[in-house]
């Protein structure tokens, strides 16, 4: 009698996932659950059954590493090709890289912070499903930080403004906007972090944040950035799922969780939305070849997909769209114009350059914003006269900052384009200023947290930023000549012209 | 105003390159109501209510074996819920009527 060997039976995805992820869980016998997971009780969230957490990706360690390795392989093939062929010369213009300077200084360090916090969740969440999803996200995020730094380092060989991004991230005024946003999330409890970053940032706002940068890169000849961007975004679909599963899980576990989650949605929508002001001005002003306007991006990625799609689902649980979302919808008409106008006037203290939009560019803006841009156009026409008279406008003083989002107070009331919006709250005898109802709402719920904000302008006045004068502060920022100011005539602009004239004279190549 | 889950669009954004072209074709074939929009570097496919990606259809177009995990190399973003992701099919839909 012969025994035919059985063909090896392949497990289905479901079986593999449960064998390699869920089945690795055990119940502690010599410590209590509270001792093993000390961080998941203080926020007031009630969880009855951690096993109800779903992970539709059903990812296991072997599948994860296999596909991540493939993603990196594809990315590095593109990077090498670009560097070898002097690809940077085929960008639309050197000014395009202002968008990438902002990305490297403002966003890449957040990837690293996300890596850290998801590593903590991978240890501290009670269920094996969310722990494993957090572990994957933690590894994804460090991959994002590394590949972004690696990709953009190629530009650092030729262009200003890329050299001290980490140092700057911790010190420079406009970078305190994204930094304080993320620090705010890192210093919250694990459930609030999941709603702040996992849900609000990764699901509600991620497309507004990343897709414009990547499409902008693709449209402006920046193949490496497009590739790292889409490579990072391919992980994003898992992150979005983690955020979405988190919110559904919290809402389904106990009704008492609903008001807490609603407050976090209100808070983190506005907190994240304020950071996107930097993206708005990038889309409308920094890209030499335009992809779509901020207004269009906001309508597509936020109004249609989130308000028209997701929030209809969440209504089932009694969740309503974020408070102040109506303000954001009003602001889509003018957010980018006001944000860029602020950066334009302070770019002598920044590690990117700005310039008056060309006539063609302003025509495009008029088309996109027929109701609002004409007002801003008159500002730019006035500024062109200043420049013709030899007086390009830079503000020499220091601006007042919003206590919560840390953006200089330059946004106006929705229907009053010349009246600055200003809100204030008194807490323990001190007055705090805000750019908007949304930021005031956030402060009023947690004044003890936000009064500790490290506001760059206050810090300069307190003598904590190297010196009391501008050159001294810029030195403390590690800014070098050529990093900031006006683009026309800047180091990058001069080099760009030189390289291209040379290329023309020698007949290309 | 509420729109029923059958009409609310769901969708995926896919990186536009040679490797993904058969995947995009397979999605178009299996989702007759889908609309396709080309944006710089990417393709957005959306469909009212539901969008499915079938392993078999992708394999036919690709001419080789393809596991659904591989879709992770193509996807940039999505909207809707991932209702199912198993060996044979990925299905994106909204959760609630
Ligand atoms: Fe990331
Ligand atoms: Fe603010």
């Amino acid at each position: 009698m012969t025994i035919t060997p059985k063909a090896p039976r392949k497990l289905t995805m479901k079986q593999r996932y449960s064998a390699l992820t869920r089945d690795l869980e055990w119940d502690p016998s010599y410590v209590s659950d509270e001792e093993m997971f000390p961080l998941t009780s203080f926020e007031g969230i009630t969880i009855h059954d951690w096993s109800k957490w779903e992970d539709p990706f059903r990812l296991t360690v072997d599948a994860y590493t296999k596909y991540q390795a493939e993603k990196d392989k594809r990315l590095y093939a593109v990077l090498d090709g670009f560097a070898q062929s002097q690809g940077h010369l085929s960008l639309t213009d050197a000014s395009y890289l202002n968008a990438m300077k902002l990305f490297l200084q403002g966003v890449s360090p957040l990837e690293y912070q996300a890596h850290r916090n998801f590593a903590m969740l991978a240890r501290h969440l009670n269920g094996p499903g969310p722990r494993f999803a957090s572990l994957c996200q933690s590894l994804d995020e460090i991959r994002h930080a590394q590949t972004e730094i690696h990709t953009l380092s190629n530009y650092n060989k030729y262009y200003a403004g890329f050299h001290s991004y980490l140092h700057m991230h911790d010190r420079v005024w406009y970078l305190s906007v994204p930094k304080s946003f993320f620090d705010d999330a890192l210093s919250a409890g694990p459930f609030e972090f999941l709603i702040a970053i996992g849900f609000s940032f990764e699901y509600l706002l991620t497309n507004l944040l990343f897709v414009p940068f990547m499409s902008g890169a693709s449209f402006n000849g920046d193949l490496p950035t497009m590739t790292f961007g889409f490579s990072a975004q391919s992980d994003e679909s898992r992150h979005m799922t983690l955020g979405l599963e988190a919110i559904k899980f919290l809402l389904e576990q106990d009704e008492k969780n609903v008001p807490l989650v609603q407050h976090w949605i209100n808070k983190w929508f506005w907190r994240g939305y304020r950071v996107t002001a930097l993206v708005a001005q990038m889309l409308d002003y920094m890209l030499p070849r335009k992809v779509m306007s901020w207004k269009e991006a906001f309508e597509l990625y936020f109004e249609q997909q989130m308000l028209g799609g997701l929030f209809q689902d969440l209504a089932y649980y009694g969740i309503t769209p974020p408070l102040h979302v109506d303000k954001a919808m009003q602001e889509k008409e003018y957010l980018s114009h006001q944000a860029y106008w602020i950066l334009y006037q302070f770019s002598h203290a920044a590690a990117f350059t700005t310039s008056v939009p060309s006539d063609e560019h302003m025509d495009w803006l008029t088309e996109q914003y027929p109701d609002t841009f004409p007002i801003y156009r008159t500002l730019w026409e006035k500024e062109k006269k200043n420049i013709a008279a030899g007086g390009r406008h830079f503000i020499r003083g220091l601006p007042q900052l919003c206590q919560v989002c840390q953006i200089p107070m330059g946004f106006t009331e929705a229907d009053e384009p010349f009246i600055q919006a200003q809100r204030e709250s008194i807490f323990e005898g001190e007055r705090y200023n805000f750019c908007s109802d949304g930021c005031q709402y956030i402060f009023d719920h947690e004044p003890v947290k936000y009064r500790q904000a490290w506001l760059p302008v206050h810090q300069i006045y307190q003598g904590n930023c190297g010196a009391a004068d501008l050159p001294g502060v810029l030195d403390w920022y590690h800014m070098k000549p050529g990093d900031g100011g006006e683009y026309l005539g800047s180091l990058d602009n001069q080099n760009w012209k030189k390289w291209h004239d040379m290329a023309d004279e020698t007949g290309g190549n | 105003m509420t729109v029923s889950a059958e009409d609310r669009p769901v969708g995926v954004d896919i990186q536009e390159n040679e490797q993904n072209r058969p995947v995009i074709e397979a999605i178009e074939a299996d989702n007759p109501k889908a609309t396709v929009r080309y944006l710089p570097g990417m393709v957005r496919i959306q469909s009212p209510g539901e969008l499915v990606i079938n392993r078999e259809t992708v394999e036919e177009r690709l001419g080789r074996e393809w596991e659904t995990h591989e879709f992770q190399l193509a996807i940039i973003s999505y909207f809707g819920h991932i209702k199912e992701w198993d060996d044979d099919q990925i299905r994106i839909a909204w959760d609630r009527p």
Side-chain angles (χ1 to χ4, degrees):
Chain A
M1 197 174 88
T2 51
I3 302 171
T4 35
K6 261 192 205 154
R9 210 158 24 114
K10 233 181 124 194
L11 296 180
T12 65
M13 261 170 81
K14 259 181 214 170
Q15 292 166 326
R16 290 178 59 77
Y17 175 70
S18 91
L20 293 173
T21 302
R22 298 283 175 124
D23 278 4
L24 299 179
E25 170 76 340
W26 71 89
D27 290 323
S29 52
Y30 54 92
V31 289
S32 66
D33 258 9
E34 291 70 42
E35 284 174 283
M36 191 146 112
F37 300 110
L39 301 185
T40 42
S41 45
F42 71 86
E43 291 177 273
I45 287 287
T46 307
I47 305 293
H48 300 285
D49 183 0
W50 278 93
S51 75
K52 290 280 190 303
W53 184 295
E54 302 277 351
D55 183 3
F57 270 83
R58 304 214 171 91
L59 205 54
T60 49
V61 166
D62 56 338
Y64 175 78
T65 48
K66 178 175 156 192
Y67 288 108
Q68 295 306 100
E70 180 61 28
K71 287 178 189 178
D72 267 13
K73 216 166 73 191
R74 291 183 185 182
L75 171 64
Y76 279 91
V78 172
L79 289 195
D80 291 346
F82 195 78
Q84 282 159 13
S85 65
Q86 293 286 309
H88 75 95
L89 293 175
S90 52
L91 296 173
T92 44
D93 186 52
S95 68
Y96 155 76
L97 289 171
N98 285 316
M100 288 307 118
K101 292 170 192 180
L102 202 55
F103 191 90
L104 183 66
Q105 299 157 7
V107 180
S108 300
L110 305 186
E111 306 269 22
Y112 182 71
Q113 299 295 0
H115 152 70
R116 292 177 59 213
N117 210 87
F118 278 101
M120 189 179 79
L121 297 187
R123 159 63 185 87
H124 278 286
L125 296 178
N126 302 49
R131 279 206 305 275
F132 185 67
S134 298
L135 178 67
C136 292
Q137 181 156 354
S138 176
L139 293 172
D140 293 339
E141 300 295 5
I142 200 161
R143 183 177 88 88
H144 299 174
Q146 289 172 343
T147 52
E148 286 162 19
I149 293 163
H150 206 152
T151 306
L152 294 170
S153 70
N154 184 46
Y155 293 123
N156 183 45
K157 295 178 194 160
Y158 308 102
Y159 299 90
F162 284 102
H163 51 85
S164 302
Y165 62 97
L166 273 182
H167 181 92
M168 289 177 186
H169 185 75
D170 289 336
R171 298 186 177 202
V172 178
W173 58 278
Y174 61 92
L175 298 172
S176 81
V177 175
K179 180 186 165 72
S180 67
F181 162 80
F182 222 92
D183 282 359
D184 196 350
L186 291 175
S187 52
F191 292 117
E192 185 178 348
F193 180 86
L194 274 174
I195 299 301
I197 301 304
F199 176 71
S200 297
F201 200 64
E202 301 273 9
Y203 195 96
L204 281 189
L205 298 170
T206 186
N207 286 322
L208 271 177
L209 255 154
F210 286 95
V211 179
F213 269 110
M214 300 324 149
S215 296
S218 155
F219 232 33
N220 285 277
D222 186 359
L223 197 61
T225 297
M226 183 195 87
T227 312
F228 89 56
F230 286 151
S231 182
Q233 276 297 123
S234 68
D235 300 341
E236 214 60 44
S237 49
R238 265 187 288 108
H239 304 174
M240 294 170 73
T241 304
L242 175 60
L244 201 53
E245 292 306 327
I247 196 167
K248 283 201 301 188
F249 177 68
L250 295 187
L251 294 170
E252 277 167 12
Q253 280 295 306
D254 200 298
E255 241 178 290
K256 289 198 293 290
N257 297 339
V258 176
L260 269 172
V261 169
Q262 179 74 57
H263 170 64
W264 288 335
I265 292 175
N266 294 344
K267 171 181 174 183
W268 287 100
F269 162 72
W270 191 260
R271 202 74 184 82
Y273 164 69
R274 267 294 179 247
V275 177
T276 65
L278 290 171
V279 184
Q281 63 81 34
M282 185 279 296
L283 259 182
D284 285 346
Y285 287 88
M286 284 184 166
L287 298 179
R289 270 188 83 191
K290 310 283 178 282
V291 176
M292 61 167 73
S293 69
W294 167 255
K295 185 176 144 188
E296 194 190 346
F298 188 84
E299 286 168 351
L300 181 66
Y301 292 120
F302 192 76
E303 292 180 11
Q304 287 175 25
Q305 286 179 203
M306 297 307 152
L307 296 180
L310 173 72
F311 277 98
Q312 311 248 348
D313 258 21
L314 294 178
Y316 169 85
Y317 302 100
I319 291 289
T320 55
L323 210 60
H324 306 118
V325 75
D326 52 325
K327 298 277 181 194
M329 285 159 72
Q330 279 180 309
E331 282 189 1
K332 74 186 176 197
E333 292 282 353
Y334 61 85
L335 180 73
S336 67
H337 312 313
Q338 299 190 348
Y340 187 70
W341 183 242
I342 296 170
L343 296 182
Y344 176 83
Q345 298 173 90
F346 285 102
S347 62
H348 56 298
F352 56 79
T353 59
T354 55
S355 204
V356 175
S358 68
D359 289 341
E360 197 194 347
H361 185 164
M362 287 205 261
D363 291 343
W364 180 80
L365 287 165
T366 309
E367 258 167 52
Q368 303 296 317
Y369 299 94
D371 298 333
T372 50
F373 186 70
I375 298 163
Y376 299 94
R377 189 165 195 154
T378 55
L379 285 179
W380 291 116
E381 296 298 347
K382 218 158 93 187
E383 174 63 357
K384 282 209 280 199
K385 284 186 197 138
N386 290 340
I387 293 169
R392 202 258 195 221
H393 189 48
F394 288 117
I395 296 183
R396 293 291 158 182
L398 299 181
Q400 186 177 46
L401 303 179
C402 172
Q403 184 75 25
V404 172
C405 70
Q406 308 203 3
I407 296 177
M409 303 269 285
F411 294 124
T412 64
E413 299 293 353
D415 296 323
E416 301 282 355
F418 295 106
I419 297 182
Q420 186 190 305
Q422 178 148 9
R423 306 285 180 272
E424 48 181 57
S425 294
I426 308 276
F427 179 66
E428 293 185 349
E430 287 210 54
R431 186 185 306 274
Y432 297 89
N433 298 289
F434 315 101
C435 71
S436 55
D437 296 338
C439 285
Q440 184 177 32
Y441 165 90
I442 293 169
F443 179 90
D444 288 347
H445 278 77
E446 291 163 278
V448 176
K449 182 172 189 179
Y450 292 98
R451 75 168 162 194
Q452 302 173 60
W454 193 94
L455 294 176
V457 170
H458 291 203
Q459 295 299 321
I460 291 171
Y461 281 132
Q462 285 172 30
N464 296 331
C465 299
D469 62 337
L470 187 66
V473 173
L474 295 186
D475 201 43
W476 184 76
Y477 284 171
H478 282 193
M479 282 182 192
K480 304 230 160 53
D483 283 346
E486 167 60 42
Y487 172 66
L488 296 175
S490 68
L491 203 61
D492 281 2
N493 184 222
Q494 287 175 29
N495 283 334
W496 183 259
K497 283 187 184 155
K498 199 171 69 194
W499 294 329
H500 285 268
D501 289 344
M502 268 167 51
D504 288 343
E505 278 160 30
T506 57
N509 293 318
Chain B
M1 190 194 70
T2 43
V3 183
S4 78
E6 287 136 59
D7 296 326
R8 272 183 279 151
V10 296
V12 285
D13 291 344
I14 293 176
Q15 196 180 340
E16 190 189 4
N17 58 30
E18 266 318 293
Q19 286 136 327
N20 294 340
R21 207 163 37 80
V23 181
I24 295 166
E25 284 174 13
I27 299 175
E28 287 189 80
D30 284 342
N31 299 274
K33 287 192 212 152
T35 51
V36 181
R37 177 177 176 185
Y38 287 81
L39 291 160
M42 58 185 252
V43 181
R44 148 166 299 215
I45 308 172
Q46 69 173 54
S47 175
E50 174 180 87
L51 191 94
V52 292
I53 298 136
N54 292 316
R55 179 181 54 78
E56 276 188 3
T57 320
V58 176
E59 287 182 341
E60 274 165 27
R61 301 236 166 0
L62 211 53
R64 64 164 171 85
E65 280 189 16
W66 184 81
E67 48 179 350
T68 53
H69 271 316
E70 223 177 300
F71 191 59
Q72 292 182 60
L73 296 171
I75 187 171
I76 295 169
S77 182
Y78 71 94
F79 52 110
H81 292 272
I82 294 178
K83 299 292 287 180
E84 191 54 74
W85 189 315
D86 64 21
D87 304 80
D88 299 318
Q89 192 183 64
I90 302 167
R91 195 164 72 85
I92 302 173
W94 290 109
D95 229 14
R96 301 288 167 187

